[in-house]
Structure formats: structure tokens, C-alpha cells
Amino acid sequence: MSNSAETTSKRPLRVAIVGAGPAGVYAADILTKSNEVKGGDFEVSIDLFEAYPAPYGLIRYGVAPDHPRIKGIVNALHKVLDRGDIRFLGNVTYGRDLTLHDFRAFYDAVIFSTGAIKDAELDIPGIELEGSFGGADFVSWYDGHPDVPRDWPLEAKEIAVIGNGNVALDVARMLVKHADDLLVTEIPDNVYQALKNSPVTDVHVFGRRGPAQVKFTPLELRELSHARDVDIVLYPEDFEFDEASDEAIRSNNQIRTMVNTLTNWLVEEHAEAEEPSSRRLHLHFLHSPVEIHGTPGDAAHPGKVTGIKFERMQLDGTGNVKGTGEYLDYPVQAVYRAIGYHGSPLDELEYDARRGVIPNEGGRVLDAEGNPVPGIYATGWIKRGPVGLIGHTKGDALETIGFLLEDRLSLPPAQNPDPQAIIDLLEERGIAYTTWEGWIKLDAHELALGAEWSASGDDYGVARERIKVVPREDMVKISRD
């Protein structure tokens, strides 16, 4: 038996997980329920770190508040963390409050599950204009992220959203929905007031490929039709199908469902109802962005968005597209790119800037020479890139935990594995960390805010379950009091 195995066999294996979103929670849960742990081969002691004062990561700060499945996912994550066998330490930022050297000193293994929160870049002329936004930044704003400004310039009547995935639909839906219909969600008051005053009349969603190639899910797509006083507008010329499209429709139930939904909407001609709605959501396909038009400006003061140009595309038989040489202009005063997320580099770890991930093999983090770094792992979007649905991170975590279990007898042992030691270090450095008990307090506070609003006598006729607390300092104070 190695010295490492002898050391850790006498005590619980200490594991730190950096990132308390679904990927991190799933990894912790899978490790605690592994056959090796349940069978008594060894004990495990897990600390789950989070940069924000509250847990849940993407679920709290990356998904539209009216998403119908949020509550179910939150409940599942809550049950895992509420068991008491995984310690949550929030408001602790990797690379600032704690370094890799720190983690190495207190843990036998470290799993990074920091996700991806930045917008993927769109390199076209005019992208820097005032009124050109990243969809991820907008999501962070309407989800009450503690580190983004409280204000958002909602001044446009006509808006373009570039992208054909669920984030694009979330962004478009939040822009076009009437604010009063969002009161049943946990949106912060500043978000409600800004959306209430938005002058928007038309939101256009543009995708490069055809209706059979969209990356939506049927549930997200159907949610669009539930928006009150919003017409869905489609265009017959966009409904082009090639051989690959026909095969996808025949062989894939999800694609068939979405294409049927879209073609049914097209036939129903929502936009020509007897009483047209006050807002319209336009879905465009086969449009590739070329340039954003704007007023004159300079490096210090860029001009403002006035329109956007697309090249008309056509399917090439394989489901991919090629340009037609035909160009179309749309007058808009704001553009949101929602073409994907991109992971951020982490101190002292290698980084693949093109893919936005930590280089790894199955979750084992690699060094500059491509060799596994002992005791360092990755899971979730920072491991594989921002693809797939939230549920996919379970299989992802299963793979990573499998390798950690395989490596456990050769992990570099922590110098100070006492669970109290990391707490002492945080307090010594003056880091106002939060705990699971603190989250229970904050959760109760947000629920109380909703109940207070509902009882205030406002004429909305809406009961609010909760109202999200936004300022980081308030979150920390409530959690630690």
C-alpha cells in the first residue's frame, strides 16, 4: 500500500468541489452514494465551495425565472444539500480567497465545476455598438446576479436576438413578455420595474439554419405560445427542408415535435388574429448575421444600433447551410447575441481558450504536457463545454467521480485534512463565508418578501412566492446574522 493510501485509509478522504451549481452538487451526491463509500471501503468528507453567497449556480443565475422546470431541479438539489453530509461554503472565490495551493493543503482531491458564464463571441462589424448585448449578461441581470449592475437599458422598440437555442428563446421571451405576467416568478423588483417600462413591440429571433436544425427543446418552444398579448409571427419562405431535414424529422421525435409545432403556428397565422396583440415575437430561420448598423461614433463613444444585416442562407442537403448572396436588413435598436456560453480560465490550471474548457481526459485535469494532474478533476461545462441540458451533467459527473475513485489510493494526501482547518483559514483571512444554514435563512427571507408583497394590498391579484435578494452584501448579512 502506498503512503497516500495508508494516510487516507485512517481518515475520511477530503474532497473539495469548486462550484455549487448542478454539476457540483451532482458530483458530490454521486461520490457519497458510490458503492465504495456505501460499502464501507472508505469514508469521504466533502466541502462544496461557491463564489456566490447562495447555492445552485446556473439554476439561480442562468435560467429564465419563468422556466417551468426550475422548481423541480431546485427541490432535487436542495434535498441533496439538506442531508447534512456535504458542507456548503459560499461567498468564497477561487483564485482570490483561496488558491490551488490552499486547496492542495487541505484536500486530497479537488473537483472544478465552475461552469461557463460568458457569452461566446460574435465577430461581425458593429458588435461593439451601444445597444449590442451579450445574452448571458442579460440573463445575469434579469436573474438578479449580485455582481452585475442593477440597471439595464430597455429602450428599444424593435430587438434582434441572434441564436436558435434555449437561451435565445429565454432572452426573447423575457424581452417580449409583459412584466406583470412575471410577478409570479422570483424576479427582483428592479427587473420588474425595468421590464414594466420597456417600450418593446417586436422581438425577432434569428437562426442560421432551418426549422429542423434548431437547438430548442419542445418545452421551451411551447412556452412561447403561453405569453399573453404576444403574437408569434413566422415566415413561409423560412420553412425549407432538405434530405437531412426530412430524415431528422422521420427519425427524431423531438425534432418532429418542434417542426410540427412551428408549422402549425405558421398555418394558424397568429399574427392575423381579429385583435392583433400589442407585441410580436418573430421567428426567422436561414439568416446569418453579417453586420450591425449604427449611428456614427468613435472609439470613446460608439454609435447606437439602428439595424442589422443578414445573408439569406439555404440548406445544402446535409442539414448545413450555404450563403445565397441575398442580403436582408432589419431596423432594430438593440441586438442580443445568444449563440452560446464560454468558460473562463482558472488560476494555475491549463485552459483551452478556443473551447473555453480546462483540458482533461474524462474529468482528469491535464497539465501543459497533456499529463493528468494528480488529485485535480473537472466536471460540467468547464469540463466538456456548454452543451447539453442540465440533466446531462449527471452522466458527466458519474464519469469524473469514477476516475477519482479509481485514483483514490494514489492521491497526494492533504497536509492538514482536519475539516476545521479550512474554516480557520477563511476566518483568519476575513472571508465572510456563508453556510447551508445561512442559505436556509436567506431562502426564508426571500419567501417572506414574497408573502409581504402579496399581502400589501396591491391591485395585481397575484400571489408572489418569493422575491430574490440581489445585493451581495445583503445576501451575506442575512445569511450570517
Side-chain angles (χ1 to χ4, degrees):
M1 183 181 284
S2 70
N3 183 58
S4 172
E6 291 174 356
T7 301
T8 56
S9 65
K10 300 173 184 176
R11 60 168 173 80
L13 186 76
R14 289 284 285 148
V15 177
I17 300 177
V18 183
V25 177
Y26 290 148
D29 189 40
I30 290 168
L31 180 54
T32 60
K33 292 179 178 176
S34 65
N35 291 332
E36 291 85 345
V37 172
K38 288 170 62 179
D41 292 0
F42 73 102
E43 294 180 26
V44 66
S45 169
I46 302 173
D47 286 343
L48 184 62
F49 290 87
E50 174 56 57
Y52 309 127
Y56 307 143
L58 177 73
I59 298 299
R60 185 171 169 93
Y61 293 122
V63 182
D66 62 343
H67 194 294
R69 288 185 294 182
I70 286 182
K71 192 174 293 185
I73 298 170
V74 166
N75 289 342
L77 299 179
H78 179 97
K79 286 179 181 177
V80 173
L81 296 179
D82 202 43
R83 293 196 311 247
D85 56 348
I86 299 163
R87 185 166 65 174
F88 171 75
L89 295 170
N91 201 40
V92 180
T93 300
Y94 172 77
R96 185 191 68 194
D97 299 327
L98 293 176
T99 66
L100 187 60
H101 176 78
D102 295 326
F103 279 106
R104 287 270 199 203
F106 297 101
Y107 299 92
D108 306 301
V110 185
I111 303 172
F112 288 92
S113 57
T114 51
I117 59 171
K118 286 185 177 179
D119 283 287
E121 293 184 359
L122 179 62
D123 187 17
I124 60 173
I127 198 70
E128 77 290 344
L129 288 166
E130 185 180 333
S132 170
F133 305 107
D137 292 336
F138 182 58
V139 172
S140 293
W141 172 77
Y142 67 59
D143 272 335
H145 193 294
D147 299 333
V148 302
R150 304 287 182 268
D151 300 322
W152 191 272
L154 291 168
E155 301 160 356
K157 289 187 175 182
E158 299 157 304
I159 300 171
V161 178
I162 302 171
N164 255 180
N166 284 340
V167 175
L169 285 195
D170 281 352
V171 168
R173 197 174 66 252
M174 289 295 291
L175 285 166
V176 81
K177 248 187 173 182
H178 291 277
D180 286 353
D181 295 334
L182 292 166
L183 283 173
V184 293
T185 75
E186 61 183 25
I187 61 167
D189 286 336
N190 65 297
V191 175
Y192 167 71
Q193 293 297 337
L195 292 172
K196 178 82 170 173
N197 295 325
S198 170
V200 66
T201 59
D202 293 82
V203 175
H204 299 261
V205 181
F206 295 95
R208 288 185 70 250
R209 298 198 287 171
Q213 287 79 40
V214 297
K215 300 299 183 182
F216 314 142
T217 54
L219 183 65
E220 288 279 353
L221 186 61
R222 285 195 296 268
E223 275 298 298
L224 296 183
S225 64
H226 298 158
R228 178 184 60 86
D229 190 35
V230 177
D231 286 332
I232 299 174
V233 185
L234 300 109
Y235 300 85
E237 63 270 23
D238 290 347
F239 282 74
E240 180 182 311
F241 302 94
D242 60 1
E243 295 90 335
S245 302
D246 293 335
E247 174 58 28
I249 293 168
R250 280 195 301 270
S251 61
N252 188 302
N253 286 334
Q254 178 165 304
I255 292 173
R256 182 164 57 250
T257 297
M258 288 190 291
V259 170
N260 286 341
T261 298
L262 290 166
T263 51
N264 286 340
W265 287 350
L266 179 65
V267 170
E268 291 168 10
E269 291 292 346
H270 284 209
E272 296 183 8
E274 290 183 12
E275 295 183 13
S277 300
S278 67
R279 294 180 176 180
R280 289 160 293 281
L281 179 59
H282 307 254
L283 299 179
H284 303 267
F285 305 102
L286 301 168
H287 282 65
S288 182
V290 174
E291 180 180 2
I292 301 174
H293 301 305
T295 58
D298 53 42
H301 302 91
K304 294 186 176 182
V305 171
T306 59
I308 185 167
K309 175 185 283 188
F310 292 90
E311 182 177 9
R312 182 80 187 168
M313 310 302 282
Q314 64 183 17
L315 293 165
D316 65 1
T318 70
N320 291 313
V321 291
K322 57 185 178 182
T324 65
E326 176 189 356
Y327 294 91
L328 303 167
D329 287 291
Y330 293 86
V332 296
Q333 300 83 50
V335 175
Y336 291 76
R337 66 185 185 278
I339 57 173
Y341 285 89
H342 201 73
S344 303
L346 293 167
D347 285 0
E348 302 180 76
L349 298 176
E350 291 300 311
Y351 177 66
D352 182 338
R354 183 182 64 83
R355 296 180 56 220
V357 299
I358 300 172
N360 69 92
E361 285 184 358
R364 287 182 173 124
V365 169
L366 304 177
D367 63 19
E369 284 73 45
N371 301 312
V373 181
I376 306 297
Y377 302 86
T379 192
W381 280 4
I382 198 64
K383 167 188 173 183
R384 60 184 165 84
V387 293
L389 302 175
I390 291 168
H392 293 161
T393 57
K394 286 185 179 178
D396 200 43
L398 192 63
E399 179 185 51
T400 295
I401 295 302
F403 283 122
L404 188 154
L405 291 170
E406 191 177 302
D407 299 340
R408 75 181 188 276
L409 297 180
S410 59
L411 294 172
Q415 299 160 22
N416 191 346
D418 182 355
Q420 182 60 34
I422 190 68
I423 300 298
D424 292 343
L425 179 66
L426 293 173
E427 291 181 347
E428 179 185 317
R429 292 181 178 175
I431 298 165
Y433 65 90
T434 60
T435 63
W436 180 248
E437 293 72 23
W439 162 246
I440 297 298
K441 293 179 186 177
L442 179 57
D443 183 44
H445 181 81
E446 292 185 344
L447 291 169
L449 289 177
E452 182 182 336
W453 191 97
S454 301
S456 65
D458 288 307
D459 296 328
Y460 296 101
V462 175
R464 301 198 68 182
E465 183 176 350
R466 69 189 305 128
I467 298 175
K468 190 179 288 185
V469 174
V470 180
R472 180 183 285 264
E473 58 273 20
D474 291 353
M475 296 173 68
V476 171
K477 185 176 186 303
I478 293 164
S479 299
R480 288 175 62 88
D481 276 355

